[in-house]
Amino acid sequence: MTKLILLRHGQSRWNSLNRFTGWVDVDLTPKGIEEALHAGTQIKDIPIDIVYTSTLIRAQMTATLAMSCHQAQKPLIFMHSQGKEKEWGAQSCSKEALDEGIPTYISWHLNERYYGGLQGMNKDEARKKFGADQVHIWRRSFDIPPPNGESLELTAKRTLPYFKDVIVKALENNKNVLIAAHGNSLRSIVMYIEKLTDKSVVKLEIPTGKPLIYHYNNKIFEKLG
């Protein structure tokens, strides 16, 4: 059966500082690097044909570090979709050269949800300013966004079309897929493939650096482990 691996990035610099990160592009802490490498050891024997990741460096670092542990030792080849990166990058290479690596696609559709006015704010400071209950609602509810930001519902509206139209098609072509992304973009995908309700997804936590592995067969996802 074809396999889908979901991997939330390792601890970021702003995770460690207890800040709302969202689309702010911060890198991994030493602990986050260790988490990514450990995740790589857990999936090192699973053949991986395609990698999908977000535009944010913490997810790209996690994908790269995890795959550095893979038994195949194939390079990730980032398949840029515009500008000189596309014209002068992988598009200019021979198919033979590209076949030696793993195509890696970057999309903003897989980015973390946008936290709007909360981005960069310390979470404890936000609780003092807005109240702990209100911050909890913004963080954990399905359809109530933070000020000028995205709810999980809004995040799913950009994440799931990309997942269905691009990633599922790769699975249907018998490609094993790794997605390295973020807590909320991955929550929306898990909600879809596990058929979770609006209420049950509120309790869903995606741990950093711990791969979630699914079998895919005949449009059915089966979680392993």
Side-chain angles (χ1 to χ4, degrees):
M1 292 185 186
T2 307
K3 289 186 175 64
L4 170 67
I5 304 169
L6 306 180
L7 178 59
R8 182 183 176 189
H9 64 79
Q11 184 191 64
S12 76
R13 299 282 182 177
W14 276 15
N15 289 149
S16 69
L17 294 174
N18 200 33
R19 293 188 182 279
F20 286 99
T21 309
W23 281 47
V24 180
D25 206 4
V26 298
D27 63 349
L28 300 180
T29 62
K31 178 182 177 181
I33 291 171
E34 290 179 5
E35 289 177 331
L37 291 169
H38 180 66
T41 65
Q42 295 178 277
I43 61 174
K44 66 182 180 65
D45 295 321
I46 300 174
I48 294 175
D49 303 299
I50 304 178
V51 175
Y52 295 92
T53 187
S54 77
T55 67
L56 302 173
I57 192 65
R58 57 192 185 273
Q60 295 179 27
M61 286 179 70
T62 297
T64 303
L65 289 165
M67 291 304 297
S68 73
C69 301
H70 199 268
Q71 55 87 18
Q73 287 298 295
K74 290 185 175 181
L76 298 189
I77 301 177
F78 284 78
M79 311 296 287
H80 295 284
S81 61
Q82 58 186 1
K84 287 298 182 184
E85 291 86 359
K86 176 182 179 181
E87 181 183 350
W88 290 357
Q91 182 173 277
S92 67
C93 291
S94 68
K95 183 179 184 300
E96 180 183 8
L98 294 178
D99 286 345
E100 294 176 355
I102 298 174
T104 301
Y105 296 92
I106 302 167
S107 177
W108 67 270
H109 297 88
L110 297 174
N111 280 14
E112 179 59 288
R113 74 165 165 142
Y114 175 51
Y115 275 104
L118 297 182
Q119 286 193 169
M121 186 177 292
N122 181 279
K123 293 172 185 176
D124 291 332
E125 292 175 359
R127 294 183 185 99
K128 290 178 183 178
K129 181 175 181 178
F130 300 108
D133 290 344
Q134 182 61 69
V135 172
H136 181 75
I137 289 170
W138 286 333
R139 292 187 67 194
R140 306 308 304 169
S141 68
F142 176 69
D143 57 0
I144 301 176
N148 301 312
E150 288 182 312
S151 62
L152 181 59
E153 180 182 33
L154 292 172
T155 304
K157 286 182 178 180
R158 61 172 164 85
T159 301
L160 291 184
Y162 183 80
F163 179 74
K164 296 174 186 178
D165 295 342
V166 177
I167 298 174
V168 171
K169 285 184 179 178
L171 295 169
E172 290 174 346
N173 286 326
N174 298 316
K175 303 294 186 182
N176 286 351
V177 170
L178 167 65
I179 304 176
H182 306 267
N184 285 292
S185 54
L186 293 178
R187 283 175 73 212
S188 68
I189 292 172
V190 171
M191 180 182 180
Y192 170 72
I193 65 181
E194 294 190 12
K195 298 180 173 59
L196 303 179
T197 66
D198 297 359
K199 292 183 179 179
S200 60
V201 75
V202 170
K203 301 177 182 179
L204 176 65
E205 293 283 354
I206 306 291
T208 57
K210 184 178 179 181
L212 302 177
I213 304 172
Y214 297 83
H215 273 149
Y216 178 78
N217 189 39
N218 292 327
K219 302 185 185 300
I220 301 297
F221 290 91
E222 178 187 358
K223 189 175 181 180
L224 303 180

